[in-house]
């Protein structure tokens, strides 16, 4: 459709037609998104994961229905969830699942081709409070930010990290979070943040990305495997778990979740939508001759 609109514009008209321009935008975006999905979750990436499972004495599953017991943001809020290209391994005795989530944002409004994410989930020895390290990956589409930061700013914790990373911790969890996030752990999380957003909730640590860990060059795949193994080794050797066992009653790590700043998100969304609507109206009125712009 986008190609047809472009050819019609070039061959049939000697000037730009706003209607045809607008008609070409939606299919062009869908086309780019589909190409991105194919490149990010290719059969080659699935083969790499299968080979990795065999080498690591793990288990590879091509398709799994549902979200298991995972409850990070994508697993909790998306619908019609299926997992594919799933690898289960246990480096350094830490259970790890590497896979991909296919879902829809809502059951009513379906995205063409669905919504896909890559994830790595670590099973933690002890429960931790809800924490989200936002590096902006889940707020972007094709590298462009499409949604505002949604977490209440009162829960943001300053750990001395650079502005690229935002850390949010659920109410009452800050003392445990500060102890867990040692300087070495923070440095590792910063490196992980180049490709992943990070969420910790209960007994799970989640790495969430928009691209399969096994996609891209062999060099990238090797780097991703090294990071996954390094995080497993760091978690296995952490003194945090013994500290939590000894102080479980005093610390009382609760199931409190991070609150979303709904009012701010809605305000920003409708402000942007209003601005886009005004721009489109001006383009259409200008193209149809109802508005003329004069040079002074």
């Amino acid at each position: 459709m986008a190609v047809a609109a472009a050819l019609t514009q070039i061959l049939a008209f000697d000037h730009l037609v706003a209607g045809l321009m607008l008609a070409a935008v939606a299919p062009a975006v869908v086309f780019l998104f589909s190409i991105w999905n194919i490149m990010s979750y290719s059969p080659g990436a699935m083969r790499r994961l299968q080979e990795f499972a065999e080498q690591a004495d793990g288990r590879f599953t091509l398709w799994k229905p549902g979200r298991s017991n995972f409850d990070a943001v994508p697993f909790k809020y998306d619908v019609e969830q299926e997992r594919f290209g799933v690898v289960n391994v246990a480096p350094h005795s830490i259970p790890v699942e590497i896979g991909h989530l296919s879902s829809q944002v809502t059951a009513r409004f379906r995205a063409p081709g669905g919504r896909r994410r890559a994830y790595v989930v670590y099973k933690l020895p002890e429960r931790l409070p809800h924490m989200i390290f936002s590096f902006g990956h889940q707020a972007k589409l094709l590298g462009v930010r499409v949604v505002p930061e949604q977490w209440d700013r009162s829960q943001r914790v300053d750990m001395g990290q650079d502005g690229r990373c935002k850390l949010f911790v659920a109410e009452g969890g800050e003392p445990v979070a500060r102890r867990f996030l040692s300087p070495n752990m923070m440095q590792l999380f910063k490196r992980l943040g180049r490709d992943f957003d990070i969420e910790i909730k209960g007994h799970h640590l989640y790495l969430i990305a928009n691209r399969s860990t096994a996609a891209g060059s062999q060099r990238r795949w090797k780097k991703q495997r090294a990071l996954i193994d390094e995080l497993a080794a760091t978690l296995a050797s952490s003194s945090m778990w013994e500290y939590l066992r000894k102080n479980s009653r005093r610390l009382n790590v609760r199931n409190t979740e991070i609150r979303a700043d709904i009012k701010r998100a809605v305000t920003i969304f409708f402000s942007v939508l209003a601005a886009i609507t005004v721009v489109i109206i001006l383009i259409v009125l200008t193209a149809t001759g109802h508005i003329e712009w004069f040079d002074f």
Side-chain angles (χ1 to χ4, degrees), residues 83-105:
R83 289 171 292 154
F84 65 98
V86 177
V87 174
N88 293 97
V89 291
H92 308 280
S93 300
I94 297 289
V96 178
E97 179 169 308
I98 305 169
H100 313 86
L101 177 68
S102 175
S103 61
Q104 293 287 345
V105 179

Side-chain angles (χ1 to χ4, degrees), residues 197-264:
D197 284 334
I198 304 169
E199 183 170 356
I200 302 171
K201 192 174 184 182
H203 283 281
H204 293 108
L205 186 154
Y206 304 86
L207 307 179
I208 308 293
N210 290 321
R211 188 184 185 193
S212 172
T213 55
S217 66
Q218 190 67 34
R219 180 181 178 183
R220 178 183 183 272
W221 169 225
K222 184 178 179 180
K223 177 184 174 183
Q224 297 281 289
R225 283 184 304 176
L227 280 172
I228 291 169
D229 185 78
E230 183 178 353
L231 179 55
T234 303
L235 292 172
S237 62
S238 174
S239 61
M240 187 68 191
W241 318 123
E242 186 62 28
Y243 170 77
L244 286 173
R245 293 186 191 104
K246 290 180 178 179
N247 299 277
S248 57
R249 291 186 180 181
R250 179 175 62 85
L251 294 172
N252 189 25
V253 177
R254 297 172 292 174
N255 294 322
T256 308
E257 295 191 15
I258 295 175
R259 300 187 311 276
D261 192 348
I262 302 298
K263 182 178 179 180
R264 177 171 174 264

Side-chain angles (χ1 to χ4, degrees), residues 4-21:
L7 290 174
T8 303
Q9 187 107 270
I10 294 171
L11 299 176
F13 300 96
D14 58 359
H15 60 280
L16 294 179
V17 179
L20 287 174
M21 289 177 63

